[in-house]
Amino acid sequence: MTTIDLNADLGESYGAWTLGDDRSMLELVTSANVACGFHAGDPSGLLATVRQAAAHRVSVGAQVSYPDLRGFGRRDLDLPPADLMADVVYQLGALQGLATASGTRVAYLKPHGALYNRVVHDELQAAAVVEAVLAVDATLPIVGLPDSEIGRLAEAEGLRFVPEAFADRGYRPDGTLVPRGEPGAVLHDPDEIGERMLRLAAEGVVTAIDGTDLPLSAETICVHGDTPGAVRIARAVRDALEASGLTVAAFAVR
């Protein structure tokens, strides 16, 4: 591996409530997973984030979710596939409009929260997301967890699938994320996280929650913008990767 992408979930503030530091994160990341209004984000705030991303030449991705503002998209909603497909199309269209108004374009799609975890194993929900991408723009890559249903279905339909690793999340031995609320789910030490991601890039492994080595293939690394200390974490990860000789660059440019 000589090049890797660094992404963050951004645009998650809402009205008078500020979540994360988008401006600082956009100085560090190469791709921005921008909320589309279903789990977070209001139109004026999202437009500001997309404009900042364009100014920093950061690739913009649509972070689509279940319609769950109250639960921040982290509640598993059993939507009929047809409804989920329409919801994803709607969110893509909204962010594409904001991107056009900012002089940029949507470069990829990444599910958020409960939807992200659901499409790892649920073929019907994964197929609905893939169908939405094909209906709107079949050139859009989809970002997700390695060895997932959505990855399999995307590649079967000729879409590019980009496997992702999480800098600030713990892993189970089976490669899934430790559920939020359980011990070890969210990591906070920037130095430890930087070393974990350096080992991922160099050896293709991370340490799972039980202490075992988990083989993990990734083309992009995520730092959650709402994690406390996210800017310090992103800086530690980027510094560690670049110090090792890796180039940190976007996987998709539009």
Side-chain angles (χ1 to χ4, degrees), residues 1-4 197-202 221 237-249:
M1 181 183 295
T2 59
T3 302
I4 194 163
M197 293 301 98
L198 184 56
R199 189 173 182 223
L200 169 72
I221 293 172
V237 171
R238 179 152 190 161
D239 286 350
L241 295 173
E242 291 182 333
S244 73
L246 286 169
T247 298
V248 180

Side-chain angles (χ1 to χ4, degrees), residues 186-198:
V186 181
L187 308 179
H188 298 283
D189 186 318
D191 293 333
E192 175 191 354
I193 292 170
E195 289 299 318
R196 279 172 63 87
M197 293 301 98
L198 184 56

Side-chain angles (χ1 to χ4, degrees), residues 12-62:
E12 294 180 328
S13 297
Y14 192 88
W17 291 271
T18 299
L19 186 63
D21 184 352
D22 287 6
R23 188 177 299 276
S24 295
M25 291 293 282
L26 285 166
E27 296 177 356
L28 297 169
V29 301
T30 47
S31 295
N33 318 314
V34 180
C36 298
F38 270 39
H39 79 276
D42 60 79
S44 60
L46 292 174
L47 181 59
T49 294
V50 175
R51 283 176 170 169
Q52 290 168 22
H56 284 85
R57 299 186 180 277
V58 171
S59 289
V60 172

Side-chain angles (χ1 to χ4, degrees), residues 85 88-89 92 96 109 126-142 150 153-160:
M85 183 270 186
V88 174
V89 168
L92 266 174
Q96 281 186 336
L109 175 141
V129 176
V130 170
E131 182 184 357
V133 173
L134 290 170
V136 175
D137 185 350
T139 69
L140 292 181
I142 295 177
I150 194 168
L153 292 171
E155 291 179 341
E157 292 291 346
L159 298 174
R160 180 184 176 189

Side-chain angles (χ1 to χ4, degrees), residues 64-111:
V64 300
S65 76
Y66 288 127
D68 183 28
L69 273 175
R70 185 182 293 272
F72 198 65
R74 289 176 176 161
R75 297 185 295 186
D76 195 355
L77 304 183
D78 195 22
L79 291 186
D83 289 351
L84 177 58
M85 183 270 186
D87 282 354
V88 174
V89 168
Y90 186 95
Q91 292 174 81
L92 266 174
L95 197 67
Q96 281 186 336
L98 294 171
T100 298
S102 304
T104 188
R105 297 180 63 189
V106 173
Y108 63 94
L109 175 141
K110 175 184 169 180

Side-chain angles (χ1 to χ4, degrees), residues 171-174 196 199 205-215:
Y171 282 87
R172 290 168 162 171
D174 65 356
R196 279 172 63 87
R199 189 173 182 223
V205 297
V206 295
T207 303
I209 192 71
D210 65 350
T212 59
D213 283 347
L214 171 68

